[in-house]
Amino acid sequence: PPHESPRETAAAPALTWAPPELTRYESEYLEAVLSCVDSFFRGPYPVLRRNELNQETSHIMRRYMQRFAVVIRANLESTRGMLNEELLQSAAHRVAAALGDSSASRIRMLGKRAEPGAGPPRASMSGAAVAMRDDAAMALQVKWNDMLRRLREDPRIVQRLEAEENLFGQTLNLIEGLTDPEDAQYAKALQSVSARGSLPDGVDFRRGRIAVGDLLKRLVQNTRDHLQEDLGTLRRIQRLLLAMLRSAALSEDTMLLPAVQDEFVKSGVVQLLVSVLDARLAPDVSNTSWKLLQELLKAKMGVNKQAQRGLFESITGMDDSGLWDSFRGIVDAVGQTTKSIRSLKVLPSLSAAETEAVQEYREQLSNAELALEVMCFMVEGHDSAMQDYLYVQVGNSRSVNVLEDSFNLLVRLCKDAGVADTIEVFEEACMLKILELLIELAQGPNLRNQEHLSALGLVEVVFKLLGANFNHLQRRGGDLYPTNVRKLKSQLVAVLLALLEGRMDTKIQQTFLERIDAGVVKERISFVHLYFIFGVIQVAHSKVQSDSQSHAAIPLDGRDQHFLLPSVDQTELFHERELADDLAFELLEDLDDAELVELFSEGLNLLQLMLELTPLSKELAVDVTPAEAVASDFVDKPSHFMSERDYLWHRTEFHRKENYRHSYSFLKQFVKTIEVVVNGHLQRIHFQQPLTAMFYMQETSKQIILNNVPFRSPDIKAKAFIQMCQDVHQESQLIRQLSKFSVLSGRTRSWAQNNLPDGVHRPFQVFLTNDARRMQELLSGSLFIALILALHTGIFLIPMRTNAPFASATGHTHLAWSSLTTEAVAVGLGGLYIACTALWLVLTACIKVPLTALHQKERGKQSRWPKSMRAFVGCFSQPDMVWRSMLLGVCSTALCLQLPFILTFLVLDFFCQSARLATVLGGVIAPMRSVLMTSIGATIVTFAYASVGFHWFRDDFNDYCNKNVITCTQNIIYQSTRNGIVGLSSMMDTVMPDDRDFTSRMAYDISFFVITGIMLLNTVVALIVDSFSAQRRAAEEREINKESQTFISCLDRKIIEAVAQAVGISDGFNYHEEHKQPKWDYMSFVFYLHEKDPQDFTGPESAIKHCLERKDIKWMPLGRSKLLEEDKNNVNDDILKRIEQQAGNVGRELEGGTEVKQLVLASMKVLSRQVDTRCDQFSEQVVASHQRAHNTKTNSAPLSLDTVNEFMRSTESPD
């Protein structure tokens, strides 16, 4: 072997792997080729200016030619580089040309193939020699191809290629700015051409702007024109488009990726990809097309809605059958291969062909996972139009039901528990994508997709898989309940919840009730809980190392794994669980919401499913819902039973019920239920209560909400309540961060967390835990100390005796403590008071300063310190902080300046901490403005009276008004108030009726007393009394509102009580407030929406979060309650049905009114005709009567009574 190469000490990275089938020389050859490629990519001219690199490359090239000349001469036509067959040849040519080496001509042989006549004449060679030569050439070719394959797989080469492609894609994304002749920087550089004679280095001359959209359109058109005949160009264009999208995703400019995706949609890239998939050109081309669709829809957070909408418009405007055929082909390929691969898993070893088949199966699963992810992006955000389009592609020549095909693939991958035990990681990843897609297709809700999935048998499949162990995944993770199994089972239950989302009927619920397995539900709820309490102790005591940094783990060979088996002794489990519960609950607070979801998501989802179904089935409710306290007369004494066997059986059953009850109660504390209005429908929503709401929400914050929320109208009350909840959420999040702060870090912190009390390394946690009760205890303690200190001062602070050794002079008074002991006690109590108050101020400032910084408006671009100072000043400007700071200053001044008498001021804190005294103080302070104005008026009146008295009665005032009017006014104000508002009698001489100025004095004195002593004083009293009355009325009204109306829905108590009593609930109002619409659960729901990832929202959650952002309260159940609407005697099932029924009644009444109108008109017409007929008949009879009368008169015959009666009868009519 030759001497070691200088490359081993160079800066370039050495080969980090040594293939066992290659010799040392062959490895060195491979390293030399890598060096050539490295020089090719980095650019030979700048790199080789350095002498050491020049010498290194020359040495490598000489060794390259000397040792492997045979391989170079035997290079065949099938030689391939990484990008194309000319890569390595170009690298060698460029290096040789840069070096000017004499071996350049020999290096060029790399690109030449061995000509048939290049060697000795074939006739002169024997057949054996020819065969040996051919075999040697074939062996060299195999080595060459193996070397190229390893080159392509080398991570350095792959990373370098990706970096170059991304750089090129970035250049194309920014091509408009790089070629715009009107760019400001370019115009500035262009101005210097006249002075320099040329553009600066690195600046190219620009002729015209190149638009990204135009560039993409030309690429798309070129590809369409040569789609079937030039796959090489198609592949390069696909890589180019992919590089543009990926470089935009990596860019720091958040607006670049959406802009590039928008240009892709507008330029027809989507139609091109559909055409490529429809043509079915090559597997790698189709796979790259799916990658492009994935990158086209993906945003930095979730999915690009604009690109999603553009994609929908593009595919619905054309026959995109090829896209869905490609999806079906990918899914079917996996489904057809699954069974054969499953049979290979049980074999102890695999042949080369079987190994290749497994590798191909994994690639198929990877392609299916990619296609499924694209489908998820298409429907993410509960896009109902896209959900329907994935169900059936209307207008296409061929349609594919993505929902059904995805479910069928799930069944083929894992149809029962036996198959589940052989599932591997890559299959589990594909199953997760299927479940994610099914959830996205069902949420929104999409009623048709929900019903179709329930009819396919999803419930049976889910419960079969929930009962499976997934043995292979357990062995791979080394844990009884590894992370990937938790996530898979959680998603299985989440699919069932998605089928029930937003359902106003019970069709699917009834299907679930027919097929659900209550035994599996109870087993899984207990398993999730027991895994946590035993696993978290294992991790806390460092007995095991968990996967994925989980807080709980139970190894397969661990001591506690048998507690989670169905055959466990329930009595042993009962006792072990009781021992582990307390520690597990303490460690629960250390989790965050993501860790909580990871550990408990399966159990919490099952619990939500049961809460949705149990109201519809009493049998299921009895099976899965334990009683609050197990009603059992079991006595743990064998003497109370007939036999030992009977005793053991009853004990086991009792402990089994207790274990399950405890597991159910433990998980139930995380699941809350509220009533909301979505799309006009009142429905229940179950959600996971955040840990922020459980542990870090101060009780005082709740009380502040109750005391300050307005109740004038339901709308105002709801808006104020939601806004207060959002403010409290910010405060609770900050409290949570402070509570988790530790003075230790790293492994030391983990050790302290598991072995030391929290107060040792988490100073804030001591005071902020349990609703920050210890902070309230600090205030109570400081008040108690202030009371003791004030009493101590009042008793033991005495006037200083002559030559008292313990005196402290103030300049005005001389006071001293009665002894050194009393002084020491006062100093100690004062120091303790300062410590408590200062600690409370620090803790409160740590909470309020950041909150104040969040609430303050930005005032231009300022540095960090001015903003911090504004927040600090704003925090200490709040009334409670000002008051505490004043008390702290009073106590410090008393101790430092030896002014002990002011320690008595500390008891004024009673007005702050006592609610009743605070009300009294508020009653005095509230009218203070009016009282002040009244006092100013009294001073003005007194000044006027002083002027009159100074002029007319100066002698009567004696020395009180002998200087000027101002002095007289001051004396009147002081003396009159000093003597109890008795007027001027104490200042002026007494006058008698016989005196000359008695009348004027009487008028002067009485009028002053009436105006100031009666009117003005009573005005002040009336203002204060009115203030107290207003506060009392407001407090009474608030209490009456609390007692007579529900807090959330603002319904009358009498209605709630009546409906509750009708359904057998005794205390209906409290039941409604605590179980149906608990107000603090609505606060927890606001916390939940603010902390949950928007990509994981369900349909109702998305709608409510949108309402919160717009400060819309239409989702609040104002005036509505399920308790009322489920009562058929009170209201109908739904408000929409009521409106529809009312509209129908109105319509029917209108239709009935029209019919009546038509009948009246017809009757009037008939009556009119009858009247006309009778009138004609009457006229004819009258004429006939006249004629008869005339004839009778002519004949001179007397008119008889019979004739008159006959005439009257003839004119009568029944009408």
Side-chain angles (χ1 to χ4, degrees):
H3 59 82
E4 296 297 328
S5 169
R7 176 175 173 80
E8 296 178 2
T9 59
L15 197 64
T16 57
W17 49 270
E21 61 269 23
L22 294 182
T23 64
R24 174 182 176 184
Y25 302 114
E26 291 167 339
S27 298
E28 290 180 358
Y29 162 61
L30 179 57
E31 190 170 354
V33 174
L34 287 175
S35 299
C36 294
V37 176
D38 184 77
S39 299
F40 172 73
F41 276 98
R42 296 185 182 181
Y45 298 104
V47 173
L48 297 178
R49 289 194 183 105
R50 297 170 56 185
N51 292 332
E52 61 273 14
L53 292 179
N54 195 329
Q55 296 173 2
E56 175 193 353
T57 310
S58 299
H59 179 74
I60 291 174
M61 290 302 301
R62 285 194 296 272
R63 295 176 63 197
Y64 181 92
M65 292 302 303
Q66 292 170 2
R67 299 194 180 186
F68 300 99
V70 178
V71 177
I72 295 173
R73 287 195 299 270
N75 181 29
L76 302 180
E77 186 179 4
S78 61
T79 299
R80 293 290 184 270
M82 281 190 304
L83 293 178
N84 53 57
E85 61 272 13
E86 298 178 354
L87 175 72
L88 297 181
Q89 290 87 334
S90 300
H93 279 294
R94 183 171 289 197
V95 172
L99 293 175
D101 199 344
S102 60
S103 60
S105 59
R106 298 177 63 188
I107 295 178
R108 294 190 183 95
M109 296 175 62
L110 179 65
K112 298 180 180 180
R113 58 176 297 185
E115 299 292 340
R122 192 173 286 271
S124 63
M125 299 178 64
S126 63
V130 173
M132 290 179 60
R133 188 194 67 180
D134 293 341
D135 292 342
M138 185 60 66
L140 290 173
Q141 180 62 42
V142 171
K143 285 190 175 184
W144 177 262
N145 291 336
D146 182 70
M147 184 271 294
L148 291 179
R149 179 181 62 81
R150 295 179 182 277
L151 264 179
R152 296 188 191 99
E153 296 174 356
D154 187 271
R156 295 171 294 179
I157 299 300
V158 172
Q159 183 179 3
R160 196 173 291 127
L161 282 174
E162 290 180 355
E164 176 138 341
E165 286 183 352
N166 291 336
L167 181 61
F168 188 38
Q170 181 181 0
T171 304
L172 293 180
N173 290 335
L174 305 175
I175 193 68
E176 295 191 31
L178 297 174
T179 59
D180 186 5
E182 299 179 358
D183 182 69
Q185 296 182 357
Y186 176 75
K188 183 177 180 181
L190 197 63
Q191 293 175 359
S192 63
V193 173
S194 57
R196 297 169 52 94
S198 62
L199 286 168
D201 294 338
V203 179
D204 296 327
F205 179 71
R206 301 183 181 182
R207 298 181 181 273
R209 185 175 64 89
I210 301 175
V212 177
D214 296 338
L215 182 64
L216 290 173
K217 289 177 182 177
R218 292 178 65 181
L219 288 173
V220 170
Q221 187 60 43
N222 177 77
T223 308
R224 283 184 176 278
D225 295 340
H226 306 87
L227 188 61
Q228 298 286 348
E229 57 194 48
D230 191 359
L231 285 181
T233 300
L234 175 58
R235 289 187 175 97
R236 284 190 288 273
I237 289 178
Q238 283 184 325
R239 286 205 310 271
L240 175 62
L241 297 177
L242 199 57
M244 293 178 68
L245 290 170
R246 286 177 175 172
S247 63
L250 295 173
S251 174
E252 296 181 357
D253 185 2
T254 57
M255 301 303 298
L256 180 59
L257 180 60
V260 173
Q261 291 172 332
D262 186 49
E263 291 291 345
F264 270 54
V265 174
K266 293 179 181 178
S267 303
V269 176
V270 175
Q271 291 87 336
L272 172 64
L273 296 177
V274 173
S275 301
V276 170
L277 292 173
D278 194 18
R280 301 183 183 182
L281 300 174
D284 64 311
V285 173
S286 298
N287 190 39
T288 308
S289 299
W290 283 104
K291 288 181 180 178
L292 279 169
L293 286 173
Q294 178 195 35
E295 295 292 337
L296 184 61
L297 292 169
K298 186 193 301 183
K300 290 192 175 181
M301 292 294 293
V303 66
N304 186 337
K305 293 293 184 181
Q306 187 173 359
Q308 186 187 52
R309 177 53 51 187
L311 174 66
F312 177 72
E313 294 174 355
S314 299
I315 61 179
T316 53
M318 59 181 295
D319 187 354
D320 60 332
S321 302
L323 173 65
W324 310 106
D325 287 342
S326 176
F327 175 80
R328 172 168 283 179
I330 293 173
V331 171
D332 289 346
V334 176
Q336 293 169 4
T337 316
T338 301
K339 187 175 182 179
S340 59
I341 298 299
R342 193 179 300 143
S343 62
L344 296 178
K345 294 179 182 179
V346 298
L347 299 178
S349 61
L350 300 178
S351 64
E354 292 170 342
T355 303
E356 185 177 355
V358 172
Q359 184 63 32
E360 182 180 357
Y361 175 63
R362 294 184 178 182
E363 293 178 358
Q364 291 175 351
L365 282 171
S366 178
N367 295 337
E369 187 178 350
L370 175 63
L372 289 166
E373 186 173 7
V374 172
M375 296 295 135
C376 290
F377 284 154
M378 286 184 177
V379 296
E380 188 169 321
H382 318 116
D383 189 337
S384 58
M386 186 64 84
Q387 287 175 333
D388 294 336
Y389 193 72
L390 264 64
Y391 185 86
V392 55
Q393 295 83 49
V394 180
N396 282 0
S397 57
R398 301 177 302 278
S399 180
V400 174
N401 191 330
V402 175
L403 180 74
E404 189 169 336
D405 287 357
S406 302
F407 174 76
N408 292 335
L409 178 60
L410 176 67
V411 174
R412 291 181 179 181
L413 286 173
C414 191
K415 63 180 180 180
D416 53 35
V419 177
D421 289 336
T422 63
I423 288 294
E424 298 188 9
V425 175
F426 47 88
E427 294 172 310
E428 178 259 346
C430 186
M431 291 174 61
L432 284 176
K433 282 298 175 186
I434 296 173
L435 295 173
E436 182 181 350
L437 177 59
L438 296 180
I439 291 172
E440 291 289 347
L441 288 172
Q443 284 182 341
N446 190 294
L447 304 183
R448 180 174 63 177
N449 289 346
Q450 290 175 343
E451 294 173 3
H452 189 76
L453 268 177
S454 65
L456 290 176
L458 179 63
V459 181
E460 293 91 335
V461 174
V462 167
F463 276 92
K464 287 179 182 178
L465 297 183
L466 286 178
N469 293 325
F470 292 90
N471 292 334
H472 180 79
L473 295 178
Q474 285 181 342
R475 291 192 297 270
R476 182 181 178 87
D479 192 86
L480 195 63
Y481 193 35
T483 302
N484 47 8
V485 175
R486 297 176 209 158
K487 189 172 183 180
L488 180 60
K489 291 194 174 185
S490 171
Q491 289 292 87
L492 286 168
V493 186
V495 174
L496 299 184
L497 290 175
L499 298 189
L500 301 178
E501 180 183 304
R503 301 290 304 190
M504 302 309 298
D505 56 12
T506 60
K507 181 178 180 181
I508 295 182
Q509 286 89 333
Q510 294 299 331
T511 303
F512 278 25
L513 292 174
E514 294 172 0
R515 304 175 182 180
I516 201 169
D517 190 339
V520 173
V521 173
K522 297 172 66 174
E523 178 185 344
R524 296 310 303 169
I525 289 177
S526 297
F527 182 92
V528 171
H529 170 241
L530 295 175
Y531 177 84
F532 171 72
I533 64 172
F534 290 117
V536 75
I537 295 177
Q538 294 285 326
V539 176
H541 292 167
S542 302
K543 296 181 181 179
V544 297
Q545 296 295 329
S546 63
D547 63 326
S548 304
Q549 303 299 319
S550 176
H551 279 71
I554 298 180
L556 294 175
D557 56 351
R559 184 186 69 88
D560 295 334
Q561 61 92 18
H562 76 281
F563 288 125
L564 279 74
L565 300 178
S567 58
V568 64
D569 184 353
Q570 295 294 326
T571 301
E572 181 185 5
L573 175 62
F574 177 81
H575 295 297
E576 291 291 335
R577 176 189 57 76
E578 286 186 332
L579 295 176
D581 268 342
D582 295 336
L583 178 58
F585 189 80
E586 289 182 7
L587 295 174
L588 181 66
E589 189 179 352
D590 297 328
L591 303 179
D592 56 27
D593 290 309
E595 294 167 342
L596 187 71
V597 169
E598 184 218 342
L599 289 170
F600 299 138
S601 55
E602 179 192 354
L604 297 180
N605 288 344
L606 279 172
L607 205 58
Q608 293 181 35
L609 182 64
M610 293 302 101
L611 292 175
E612 192 72 32
L613 296 178
T614 48
L616 303 176
S617 173
K618 293 183 179 180
E619 182 180 355
L620 180 63
V622 171
D623 286 343
V624 302
T625 306
E628 292 295 330
V630 177
S632 175
D633 54 356
F634 172 76
V635 179
D636 195 7
K637 293 182 180 180
S639 58
H640 286 66
F641 297 89
M642 297 180 60
S643 63
E644 181 72 16
R645 180 178 180 181
D646 191 29
Y647 162 71
L648 293 176
W649 184 88
H650 281 86
R651 187 183 67 176
T652 300
E653 289 301 312
F654 173 75
H655 288 156
R656 177 180 288 108
K657 292 179 181 178
E658 279 294 294
N659 291 332
Y660 176 70
R661 184 186 65 83
H662 192 83
S663 299
Y664 186 93
S665 302
F666 179 85
L667 294 179
K668 183 65 174 64
Q669 66 180 327
F670 299 105
V671 179
K672 299 298 180 182
T673 304
I674 60 173
E675 296 177 357
V676 298
V677 179
V678 180
N679 297 327
H681 299 284
L682 182 64
Q683 55 186 274
R684 294 186 182 93
I685 284 186
H686 312 285
F687 66 96
Q688 175 191 319
Q689 183 182 20
L691 292 175
T692 308
M694 290 183 62
F695 297 110
Y696 304 102
M697 184 168 56
Q698 297 189 76
E699 193 68 29
T700 54
S701 299
K702 297 180 181 179
Q703 193 61 43
I704 289 173
I705 291 177
L706 293 178
N707 293 338
N708 295 283
V709 65
F711 53 89
R712 293 188 299 273
S713 70
D715 291 347
I716 296 176
K717 180 180 180 181
K719 288 182 179 179
F721 175 70
I722 296 302
Q723 184 58 48
M724 290 179 179
C725 290
Q726 293 175 334
D727 295 339
V728 171
H729 175 248
Q730 292 181 344
E731 177 183 333
S732 301
Q733 278 191 316
L734 189 58
I735 290 175
R736 181 175 184 176
Q737 294 174 6
L738 290 173
S739 179
K740 286 183 172 293
F741 170 76
S742 175
V743 296
L744 304 176
S745 61
R747 294 184 176 180
T748 308
R749 177 180 178 179
S750 301
W751 177 87
Q753 184 174 346
N754 298 325
N755 298 278
L756 296 178
D758 290 333
V760 176
H761 65 103
R762 291 168 59 182
F764 292 103
Q765 196 267 349
V766 176
F767 296 96
L768 300 179
T769 188
N770 295 328
D771 297 330
R773 291 179 182 174
R774 300 237 172 129
M775 288 190 67
Q776 188 61 36
E777 291 174 359
L778 274 178
L779 292 179
S780 301
S782 63
L783 180 61
F784 179 75
I785 295 171
L787 178 61
I788 298 298
L789 190 57
L791 292 175
H792 180 79
T793 303
I795 296 173
F796 297 106
L797 187 65
I798 60 177
M800 186 184 67
R801 297 188 299 272
T802 305
N803 300 325
F806 317 121
S808 58
T810 64
H812 296 87
T813 59
H814 301 277
L815 302 174
W817 295 104
S818 60
S819 65
L820 285 176
T821 303
T822 57
E823 183 179 9
V825 170
V827 172
L829 290 174
L832 190 59
Y833 182 85
I834 291 174
C836 292
T837 306
L839 182 58
W840 186 90
L841 283 171
V842 170
L843 293 172
T844 308
C846 290
I847 298 173
K848 291 191 174 183
V849 168
L851 292 176
T852 306
L854 288 175
H855 293 161
Q856 283 180 342
K857 297 181 179 179
E858 295 293 336
R859 300 179 181 177
K861 293 184 178 179
Q862 297 183 359
S863 61
R864 182 177 180 181
W865 285 107
K867 294 181 181 178
S868 301
M869 290 302 299
R870 284 205 317 272
F872 186 82
V873 172
C875 170
F876 277 87
S877 300
Q878 299 178 13
D880 57 341
M881 299 294 287
V882 172
W883 176 248
R884 293 288 152 203
S885 301
M886 290 174 59
L887 292 177
L888 181 64
V890 166
C891 188
S892 302
T893 302
L895 296 181
C896 295
L897 300 182
Q898 295 185 359
L899 299 174
F901 72 94
I902 64 175
L903 291 175
T904 57
F905 296 170
L906 299 179
V907 292
L908 295 175
D909 196 21
F910 272 103
F911 285 97
C912 181
Q913 295 199 39
S914 173
R916 295 184 180 276
L917 288 179
T919 303
V920 173
L921 184 63
V924 175
I925 293 177
M928 189 56 64
R929 183 182 180 88
S930 299
V931 171
L932 180 61
M933 296 305 297
T934 304
S935 301
I936 293 174
T939 303
I940 294 173
V941 171
T942 304
F943 182 77
Y945 268 88
S947 300
V948 173
F950 186 78
H951 179 74
W952 296 102
F953 308 111
R954 184 171 57 252
D955 295 337
D956 293 345
F957 274 102
N958 298 321
D959 294 337
Y960 293 110
C961 291
N962 59 358
K963 292 184 179 180
N964 51 50
V965 177
I966 296 298
T967 303
C968 186
T969 303
Q970 292 175 344
N971 286 324
I972 291 175
I973 293 175
Y974 173 66
Q975 294 297 330
S976 60
T977 55
R978 181 171 177 266
N979 291 282
I981 313 296
V982 295
L984 302 174
S985 59
S986 62
M987 300 173 59
M988 301 181 69
D989 294 339
T990 304
V991 295
M992 302 302 292
D994 298 335
D995 295 339
R996 178 176 55 85
D997 55 349
F998 177 78
T999 303
S1000 58
R1001 277 288 306 278
M1002 184 176 64
Y1004 181 75
D1005 291 359
I1006 294 175
S1007 62
F1008 179 82
F1009 175 76
V1010 170
I1011 293 175
T1012 59
I1014 297 178
M1015 297 178 62
L1016 293 178
L1017 180 61
N1018 288 337
T1019 300
V1020 173
V1021 173
L1023 289 172
I1024 296 176
V1025 171
D1026 184 65
S1027 175
F1028 278 114
S1029 300
Q1031 288 197 0
R1032 185 178 66 253
R1033 286 194 302 270
E1036 290 177 354
E1037 289 176 0
R1038 185 175 295 275
E1039 289 299 323
I1040 292 173
N1041 182 268
K1042 289 180 183 178
E1043 297 297 328
S1044 62
Q1045 281 190 358
T1046 59
F1047 188 88
I1048 296 297
S1049 55
C1050 300
L1051 291 169
D1052 188 77
R1053 178 172 188 150
K1054 295 180 180 179
I1055 299 176
I1056 297 294
E1057 293 282 3
V1059 175
Q1061 190 174 9
V1063 296
I1065 301 174
S1066 58
D1067 191 0
F1069 184 78
N1070 291 331
Y1071 171 80
H1072 183 271
E1073 291 295 275
E1074 295 174 3
H1075 297 90
K1076 291 297 183 179
Q1077 294 181 357
K1079 50 183 170 294
W1080 304 128
D1081 287 355
Y1082 282 84
M1083 176 183 281
S1084 299
F1085 184 66
V1086 173
F1087 286 20
Y1088 168 79
L1089 291 181
H1090 279 83
E1091 297 180 15
K1092 188 176 181 180
D1093 186 355
Q1095 305 302 323
D1096 299 331
F1097 280 160
T1098 63
E1101 290 171 357
S1102 297
I1104 296 173
K1105 182 59 183 298
H1106 187 58
C1107 290
L1108 286 178
E1109 292 172 350
R1110 294 184 290 112
K1111 296 184 178 180
D1112 188 352
I1113 58 168
K1114 67 180 182 181
W1115 64 277
M1116 294 284 286
L1118 302 180
R1120 302 184 63 179
S1121 173
K1122 276 283 187 181
L1123 185 65
L1124 268 64
E1125 297 191 7
E1126 289 173 354
D1127 180 20
K1128 297 182 179 179
N1129 296 325
N1130 187 35
V1131 291
N1132 289 325
D1133 293 337
D1134 192 88
I1135 188 171
L1136 294 180
K1137 294 181 180 179
R1138 295 200 302 270
I1139 294 175
E1140 182 180 358
Q1141 183 178 5
Q1142 291 174 1
N1145 293 335
V1146 172
R1148 286 190 292 271
E1149 290 176 1
L1150 290 175
E1151 292 176 358
T1154 304
E1155 294 176 356
V1156 171
K1157 181 180 178 181
Q1158 292 174 352
L1159 291 174
V1160 170
L1161 291 175
S1163 301
M1164 290 179 67
K1165 291 179 180 179
V1166 173
L1167 181 61
S1168 177
R1169 288 194 297 268
Q1170 292 178 354
V1171 170
D1172 292 340
T1173 302
R1174 294 300 182 186
C1175 288
D1176 293 340
Q1177 294 176 357
F1178 183 75
S1179 298
E1180 293 177 355
Q1181 292 175 359
V1182 170
V1183 172
S1185 299
H1186 280 288
Q1187 185 66 33
R1188 286 197 298 272
H1190 177 72
N1191 295 334
T1192 302
K1193 184 178 180 180
T1194 304
N1195 297 328
S1196 301
L1199 186 62
S1200 64
L1201 181 61
D1202 294 337
T1203 303
V1204 175
N1205 291 335
E1206 183 182 358
F1207 172 74
M1208 293 300 295
R1209 284 195 300 270
S1210 65
T1211 58
E1212 287 179 358
S1213 172
D1215 295 333

